[in-house]
C-alpha cells in the first residue's frame, strides 16, 4: 500500500497501537510528532488526496471526522473547547491523504507548533473555513 494513512484505515499499519478509533468510514490515530499532549489525526477510510479534492457532498464526511476526533479527545481526558481543530491546505500537506488535526490542549503548543498550526494562515485552515469553501463550490 502506497499511502501510510490508508494503511491505518485498513488496519495494516505497523503502528496500529496508535489507533484511537476505527470504523468502516474513518480512522482516528495519534500523530507520530505530537504538537501537544494529545495530537490526533482523523482521516476517511477512502483515499482522498487533500482538501481541494473534496466536494459539497463531502460536508457530512468532514463533520463526522471532526465529531469522531473530538469524541476521541474527550475519551483521552481532553475537552473540546481547548482543542485546535483544522487541516493543512495544499500544497502544505506532508501526507497526501485528507486528514483533520485535533490538538489538545491548545495552551501547550510550542511557539513553532503555534506557527505550523496557525488558524486560517496560508497553510492551516480551520474547519469552519473549510466548510465555507465547500459550501461555495458549484453544484
Amino acid at each position: 500500500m502506497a499511502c501510510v494513512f490508508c494503511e491505518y484505515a485498513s488496519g495494516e499499519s505497523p503502528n496500529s497501537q496508535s489507533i484511537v478509533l476505527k470504523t468502516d468510514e474513518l480512522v482516528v490515530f495519534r500523530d507520530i510528532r505530537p504538537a501537544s499532549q494529545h495530537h490526533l489525526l482523523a482521516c476517511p477510510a477512502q483515499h482522498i488526496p487533500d482538501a481541494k479534492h473534496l466536494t459539497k457532498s463531502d460536508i457530512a464526511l468532514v463533520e463526522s471526522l471532526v465529531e469522531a476526533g473530538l469524541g476521541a479527545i474527550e475519551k483521552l481526558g481532553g475537552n473540546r473547547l481547548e482543542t485546535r481543530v483544522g487541516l493543512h491546505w495544499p500544497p502544505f500537506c506532508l501526507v497526501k491523504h485528507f486528514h483533520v488535526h485535533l490538538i489538545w490542549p491548545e495552551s501547550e503548543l510550542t511557539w513553532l507548533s503555534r506557527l505550523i498550526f496557525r488558524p486560517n494562515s496560508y497553510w492551516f485552515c480551520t474547519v469552519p473555513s473549510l466548510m465555507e469553501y465547500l459550501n461555495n463550490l458549484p453544484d
Side-chain angles (χ1 to χ4, degrees):
M1 212 169 265
C3 174
V4 65
F5 287 5
C6 285
E7 289 178 359
Y8 278 102
S10 69
E12 296 175 17
S13 172
N15 295 323
S16 60
Q17 74 278 1
S18 67
I19 295 174
V20 177
L21 172 70
K22 184 177 177 320
T23 69
D24 290 339
E25 293 81 32
L26 60 87
V27 63
V28 178
F29 54 95
R30 289 177 177 82
D31 193 301
I32 61 169
R33 286 183 223 101
S36 194
Q37 182 180 353
H38 295 295
H39 184 165
L40 304 180
L41 303 177
C43 69
Q46 173 193 0
H47 185 84
I48 300 171
D50 58 48
K52 288 186 177 178
H53 286 83
L54 296 171
T55 66
K56 269 188 182 180
S57 65
D58 293 312
I59 289 173
L61 170 67
V62 174
E63 289 171 341
S64 67
L65 291 173
V66 171
E67 190 55 38
L70 288 171
I73 288 285
E74 287 178 330
K75 272 178 71 173
L76 294 169
N79 102 40
R80 292 169 181 253
L81 298 178
E82 203 180 322
T83 302
R84 181 154 306 173
V85 182
L87 56 128
H88 289 290
W89 195 252
F92 303 101
C93 308
L94 291 177
V95 177
K96 304 299 183 206
H97 186 127
F98 175 70
H99 57 283
V100 175
H101 291 263
L102 300 107
I103 307 168
W104 179 86
E106 269 186 305
S107 60
E108 290 183 11
L109 287 167
T110 64
W111 177 86
L112 182 58
S113 292
R114 287 179 192 275
L115 180 62
I116 293 168
F117 301 101
R118 184 173 155 206
N120 297 323
S121 56
Y122 287 114
W123 52 89
F124 191 77
C125 170
T126 62
V127 172
S129 293
L130 174 63
M131 293 303 200
E132 182 180 346
Y133 166 81
L134 294 175
N135 278 312
N136 287 324
L137 289 175
D139 289 327

